[in-house]
């Protein structure tokens, strides 16, 4: 017997500045709805400018430039609200779940002065998050992540790429740190 | 008999990274486990700590479930402090098997200190990193964890 | 009706000068059919300029949807020193015309003193460019 809800989890380990970790997994077969998502990030300082993209069955839910800190809920938030809850649950059926976490990806955009004098919209092409879901070219294979407690080693489909980004650290970030992705599934 | 009961399970954690297994029986006379609230004396001990439990042999929260999601600070109103389960959890004759893990080694290493796996082409040896096995947020030991479970007759 | 689903679409812009307003002008992707919520945050850069835990507001943003036919109003971009977030969005219910423009203006309201701006109008090394992100909670039909 299983319950009508389940928290499905994926753990990622970020080992260096600017690192990009991609994972894919499958939603638990007994559950048909995805109701919410939350992240836990090991260092608060690591949250500034780090991004998390998320797709279900190759349909984008969170853009790759979605800031990770908007998915991390602190202790001042009531336990039942510590998730980004989807008003309309996302239907799942052993669905392909993909995520991509990029450490401090937004910082290196700060130096970009090729806009109007005051600034302007940053083109999607400039945002340091490209279509890696599709191309997979910029991601070198080597990884360590866990799905529901089972350690997974590098293999096809799991990849990490390093960027030579050295953001000005506002808060010191210690590497490595872990990122936990929690998904709320219901039947 | 009242229709609500807040039952407490108290655990003592004496060292960083300790895992405590516990068993408990839900107080008799209540049909439903409505919610749970974990109270920790130090904010620093929340990060990385996990609590999983099974009720009558059915998993309610897996062992990797973060305590962070089951607690709240004093800025949260008392009536919003409990995590309420998304469905009715039958608690009659309930027997609980639980597992609490201290997370003080977080963020360098979680998952009970296991560091298997290939991490980096540069072959980072985690055991040589400063901070390995230490207590970066300086959690003070021992401390007591109080697991509050909310039973009702709903 | 086409099947729709929730997606979150960020629009990022950079602020390069404390006194020069930023003009926003971009086409929303054609799969976005409705906007149900809006949240505006400062993303990176502000923390390079201050260690304050309280500032009134970072700036004001005025936003127009559907190629200037719908004015959402003015949004204050709050200062936020905490890394962690709340899940609150401003409620909206805007049906989006296909390939229409999202336009607007952003005015910075802080970091305008002599610490940040020289007399000749150039910025000092205390100034940091910063990024503001408009998060649109949308219904998408792709």
């Amino acid at each position: 017997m299983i319950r009508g809800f389940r928290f499905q989890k994926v753990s990622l380990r970020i080992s260096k500045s600017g690192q990009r970790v991609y994972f894919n997994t499958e939603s638990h077969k007994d559950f048909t709805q995805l109701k919410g998502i939350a992240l836990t990030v090991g260092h608060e300082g690591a949250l500034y400018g780090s991004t998390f993209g998320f797709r279900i069955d190759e349909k984008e839910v969170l853009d790759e430039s979605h800031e990770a800190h908007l998915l991390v809920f602190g202790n001042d938030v009531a336990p039942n609200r510590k998730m980004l809850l989807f008003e309309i649950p996302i239907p799942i059926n052993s669905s392909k779940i993909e995520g991509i976490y990029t450490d401090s990806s937004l910082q290196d955009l700060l130096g970009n002065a090729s806009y109007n004098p005051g600034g302007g919209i940053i083109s999607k092409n400039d945002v340091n998050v490209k279509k890696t879901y599709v191309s997979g070219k910029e991601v070198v294979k080597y990884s360590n992540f866990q799905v529901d407690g089972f350690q997974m080693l590098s293999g096809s489909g799991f990849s990490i790429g390093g960027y030579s980004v050295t953001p000005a650290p506002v808060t010191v970030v210690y590497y490595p740190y872990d990122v936990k992705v929690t998904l709320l599934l219901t039947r | 008999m009242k229709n609500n009961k807040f039952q407490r399970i108290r655990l003592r954690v004496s060292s960083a990274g300790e895992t405590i297994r516990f068993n408990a029986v839900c107080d008799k006379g209540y049909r439903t486990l409505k919610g749970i609230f974990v109270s920790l004396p130090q904010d620093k001990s929340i990060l990385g700590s996990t609590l999983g439990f099974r009720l009558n042999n059915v998993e309610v929260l897996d062992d990797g479930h973060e305590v962070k999601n089951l607690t709240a600070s004093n800025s949260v109103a008392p009536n919003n402090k409990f995590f309420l389960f998304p469905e009715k959890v039958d608690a009659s004759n309930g027997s609980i098997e639980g597992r609490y893990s201290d997370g003080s080694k977080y963020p360098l290493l979680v998952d009970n200190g296991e560091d298997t796996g290939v991490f980096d082409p540069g072959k980072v040896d985690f055991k040589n990193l400063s901070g390995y096995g230490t207590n970066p947020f300086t959690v003070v030991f021992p401390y007591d964890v109080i697991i509050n479970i909310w039973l009702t007759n709903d | 009706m086409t099947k729709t689903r929730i997606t979150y679409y960020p629009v990022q812009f950079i602020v390069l000068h404390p006194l020069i307003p930023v003009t926003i002008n971009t086409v929303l992707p054609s799969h976005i059919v409705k906007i149900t919520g809006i949240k505006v945050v400062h993303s990176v850069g502000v923390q390079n300029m201050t260690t304050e835990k309280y500032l009134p507001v970072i700036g004001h943003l005025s936003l127009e949807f559907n190629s200037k036919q719908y004015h959402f109003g003015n949004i204050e971009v709050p200062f936020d020193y905490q890394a962690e977030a709340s899940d609150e969005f401003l409620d909206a219910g805007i049906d989006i015309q296909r390939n229409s423009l999202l336009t607007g203006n952003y005015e910075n309201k802080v970091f305008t003193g002599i610490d940040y701006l020289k007399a000749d109008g150039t910025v000092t090394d205390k100034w940091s460019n910063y990024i503001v992100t408009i998060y649109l909670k949308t219904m998408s039909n792709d």
Side-chain angles (χ1 to χ4, degrees), chain A residues 73-105:
Chain A
F73 299 94
N75 220 6
D76 292 344
V77 178
N80 282 75
R81 302 209 51 196
K82 289 193 207 215
M83 280 204 142
L84 179 70
L85 295 165
F86 304 120
E87 287 122 79
I88 303 173
I90 298 170
I92 47 172
N93 178 13
S94 296
S95 293
K96 182 179 181 189
I97 296 178
E98 293 170 283
I100 187 153
Y101 180 93
T102 311
D103 176 77
S104 43
S105 55

Side-chain angles (χ1 to χ4, degrees), chain A residues 1 3-5 7 9 13 39-40 42-43 73 75-76 78-80 82 142-144 146 151 153 176 178, chain B residues 46 59 62 65-66 68 71-73 75-76 80-84 87 106-107 110-111 117-120 126:
Chain A
M1 187 194 148
R3 299 240 74 94
F5 63 93
F7 292 98
K9 302 185 178 85
R13 181 154 294 163
L39 298 187
T40 304
H43 273 293
F73 299 94
N75 220 6
D76 292 344
N80 282 75
K82 289 193 207 215
Y142 104 77
S143 80
N144 173 58
Q146 288 194 333
Q151 191 89 24
L153 302 182
D178 284 13
Chain B
I46 294 171
E59 184 178 276
D62 66 272
H65 200 78
E66 293 166 272
K68 169 181 177 272
T71 190
S73 75
S75 307
V76 175
N80 290 329
K81 277 200 159 101
F82 271 73
F83 175 74
L84 305 178
E87 64 169 0
Y106 203 82
V110 286
D111 310 321
V118 180
F119 292 91
D120 194 309
F126 281 81

Side-chain angles (χ1 to χ4, degrees), chain A residues 26-93:
Chain A
E26 202 172 81
S27 66
H28 193 287
K29 62 177 173 36
D30 294 329
F31 297 85
T32 59
Q33 295 195 316
L34 173 65
K35 290 246 172 103
I37 182 169
L39 298 187
T40 304
V41 173
H43 273 293
E44 201 179 82
L47 284 170
Y48 290 109
S50 296
T51 53
F52 184 74
F54 184 68
R55 306 204 308 178
I56 298 285
D57 287 331
E58 310 202 339
K59 298 271 191 193
E60 187 173 282
V61 179
L62 302 175
D63 185 90
E64 283 187 49
S65 63
H66 201 98
E67 287 163 83
H69 83 91
L70 297 180
L71 303 167
V72 174
F73 299 94
N75 220 6
D76 292 344
V77 178
N80 282 75
R81 302 209 51 196
K82 289 193 207 215
M83 280 204 142
L84 179 70
L85 295 165
F86 304 120
E87 287 122 79
I88 303 173
I90 298 170
I92 47 172
N93 178 13

Side-chain angles (χ1 to χ4, degrees), chain B residues 44-149:
Chain B
K44 292 173 291 192
S45 58
I46 294 171
L47 196 62
S49 293
T50 56
L51 174 71
F53 76 94
R54 298 164 74 84
L55 184 63
N56 291 338
N57 255 335
V58 179
E59 184 178 276
V60 180
L61 298 174
D62 66 272
D63 283 347
H65 200 78
E66 293 166 272
V67 168
K68 169 181 177 272
N69 293 328
L70 304 172
T71 190
S73 75
N74 272 338
S75 307
V76 175
N79 277 349
N80 290 329
K81 277 200 159 101
F82 271 73
F83 175 74
L84 305 178
F85 293 108
E87 64 169 0
K88 243 181 198 181
V89 178
D90 184 7
S92 32
N93 299 315
S95 131
I96 292 174
E97 303 155 66
R99 181 179 183 269
Y100 175 89
S101 283
D102 173 73
S104 302
K105 287 184 179 175
Y106 203 82
L108 283 182
L109 284 171
V110 286
D111 310 321
N112 308 315
E114 289 160 18
D115 59 348
T116 53
V118 180
F119 292 91
D120 194 309
K123 294 192 181 60
V124 174
D125 181 356
F126 281 81
K127 289 186 172 166
N128 288 331
L129 287 177
S130 62
Y132 175 81
T134 63
N135 178 350
F137 297 139
T138 56
V139 175
V140 177
F141 292 94
Y143 67 85
D144 282 8
V145 182
I146 299 173
I147 301 164
N148 299 269
I149 58 175

Side-chain angles (χ1 to χ4, degrees), chain A residues 44-45 47-49 51 59-63 65-67 69-77 81 83-88 90-91 106-107 109-124 127 168-170, chain C residues 3-17 20-26 31 36 39 41-45 47-48 80-89 102 128-131 133-135 137 139 141-142:
Chain A
E44 201 179 82
L47 284 170
Y48 290 109
T51 53
K59 298 271 191 193
E60 187 173 282
V61 179
L62 302 175
D63 185 90
S65 63
H66 201 98
E67 287 163 83
H69 83 91
L70 297 180
L71 303 167
V72 174
F73 299 94
N75 220 6
D76 292 344
V77 178
R81 302 209 51 196
M83 280 204 142
L84 179 70
L85 295 165
F86 304 120
E87 287 122 79
I88 303 173
I90 298 170
L106 296 179
Q107 273 87 342
L109 295 172
L110 288 175
N112 195 333
S114 60
Y115 300 94
N116 296 323
I121 293 273
I122 300 170
S123 141
K124 287 283 169 205
V127 176
V170 181
Chain C
K3 204 175 170 194
T4 53
R5 65 194 181 86
I6 284 192
T7 167
Y8 291 80
Y9 184 78
V11 177
Q12 272 128 347
F13 63 89
I14 189 164
V15 183
L16 297 174
H17 191 282
I20 305 178
V22 180
T23 307
I24 291 153
N25 196 337
T26 187
H31 62 83
T36 60
K39 182 210 269 300
V41 300
H42 58 88
S43 303
V44 288
Q47 288 83 3
N48 297 338
D80 185 6
Y81 77 93
Q82 283 183 316
E84 294 157 339
S86 80
D87 63 349
E88 282 165 21
F89 275 72
L102 167 66
S128 164
N129 298 339
Y130 67 91
I131 293 174
T133 307
I134 307 164
Y135 285 90
K137 180 159 63 172
M139 299 306 297
N141 68 358
D142 65 351

